[in-house]
Amino acid sequence: MRLIQSSFLLLAGAFLQAATFAQTTVFSDSFSYPNGNLVGQGSWTQTGATATTPIQVSGSAGVVGNTGQDVYAALTSGTIPYAANNSKILTTLSANVTASQSVGDYFVHLGTTVGSTSGFYDKIFAKSGTSSGILLFGLSGNAATGVYGTTELTLGTTYNLLTVWTFKGGASADTISLYVNPTTADGSGDTAYLNYTFLASEAAPTGLSEVNLRQGSSTAGPTVTVDNLGVQFTAVPEASVVGALAIGAILLLTARRRRRV
């Protein structure tokens, strides 16, 4: 009987821990394709009708220009629902911005519906700084204009980027943190390059279904080499679920202690 009770306790504890922090990779691409158009390789598909200046693969990396074709790839898990508070979406990539403009524009984002030309979230921007060769990264929830960090970086340098989008209930609540060359997989222990809080006009999506590479406008978009693009989802269950699991574990522990008295 003691062995069974101990097993129940171990299982309950393990299940509680797993349910509280369950991370799933929902997209990963290292662009290990032959050089040429990205569309048609892997699961990459053209967004909308613009096919001019297609995004390229060069040397096992994607090359995103400042105008032309946009592309998307569906998340391998299907649609991720907008989940409980404190659940997170982590987007990772290596980015080398070789040219940028003072206006700035976004080049990577997530989408709510596969193949749609709207519903874009978690946007990563790039623009020029005040001096030649200077680069700034920026963020927005789904607003067209980004908010930029103030730490000056260098054009032509490869940076490992991580965004951590924390679900808090939507407008004026959700946050996104951008890390540059983080030392940990989730940015914990690192100082964020930029922290962004959703605007009142930026409502939470119902779900997320795709990752996108975007070639912005000729007057604003950067030219970027992108590699090692990944998306992870960390689900945190509702408090009622965690509470029920905790209560179950406590009851098992109490029953075990009573039998020992």
Side-chain angles (χ1 to χ4, degrees):
M1 179 60 73
R2 289 181 179 178
L3 179 59
I4 293 174
Q5 290 172 342
S6 297
S7 298
F8 274 135
L9 286 169
L10 290 172
L11 286 171
F15 185 67
L16 178 59
Q17 182 178 10
T20 306
F21 185 84
Q23 189 172 80
T24 303
T25 297
V26 296
F27 183 83
S28 180
D29 199 337
S30 60
F31 298 94
S32 298
Y33 309 122
N35 289 348
N37 294 347
L38 177 58
V39 167
Q41 306 206 65
S43 59
W44 291 101
T45 305
Q46 179 175 297
T47 303
T50 302
T52 57
T53 318
I55 292 177
Q56 296 292 294
V57 176
S58 179
S60 294
V63 181
V64 179
N66 66 356
T67 186
Q69 178 194 64
D70 300 333
V71 301
Y72 70 89
L75 301 181
T76 54
S77 62
T79 298
I80 298 171
Y82 186 83
N85 283 352
N86 296 316
S87 294
K88 300 177 189 295
I89 290 282
L90 281 65
T91 303
T92 56
L93 67 150
S94 298
N96 187 322
V97 181
T98 56
S100 60
Q101 305 186 64
S102 59
V103 177
D105 212 341
Y106 61 100
F107 60 95
V108 173
H109 63 87
L110 302 179
T112 57
T113 306
V114 173
S116 177
T117 56
S118 62
F120 299 157
Y121 284 81
D122 197 8
K123 301 174 180 179
I124 303 177
F125 293 70
K127 74 172 185 177
S128 299
T130 56
S131 304
S132 177
I134 297 301
L135 164 70
L136 300 174
F137 286 114
L139 290 173
S140 84
N142 75 331
T145 303
V147 174
Y148 289 84
T150 57
T151 300
E152 295 182 335
L153 303 171
T154 307
L155 287 174
T157 300
T158 298
Y159 295 101
N160 295 320
L161 305 183
L162 163 68
T163 64
V164 180
W165 175 2
T166 304
F167 298 158
K168 292 287 188 180
S172 299
D174 281 15
T175 61
I176 305 175
S177 295
L178 171 63
Y179 298 88
V180 177
N181 294 334
T183 61
T184 56
D186 61 355
S188 59
D190 293 294
T191 300
Y193 175 83
L194 173 64
N195 291 307
Y196 180 89
T197 300
F198 271 46
L199 305 175
S201 59
E202 294 178 300
T206 56
L208 297 164
S209 300
E210 64 178 14
V211 60
N212 306 66
L213 297 176
R214 177 178 182 268
Q215 300 192 119
S217 70
S218 59
T219 58
T223 300
V224 191
T225 299
V226 175
D227 202 0
N228 301 316
L229 179 59
V231 181
Q232 292 183 319
F233 177 52
T234 300
V236 177
E238 296 290 350
S240 59
V241 176
V242 176
L245 290 171
I247 291 171
I250 291 170
L251 290 174
L252 284 171
L253 180 60
T254 302
R256 181 171 182 267
R257 285 178 175 174
R258 283 177 177 174
R259 287 182 177 276
R260 292 176 61 183
V261 175

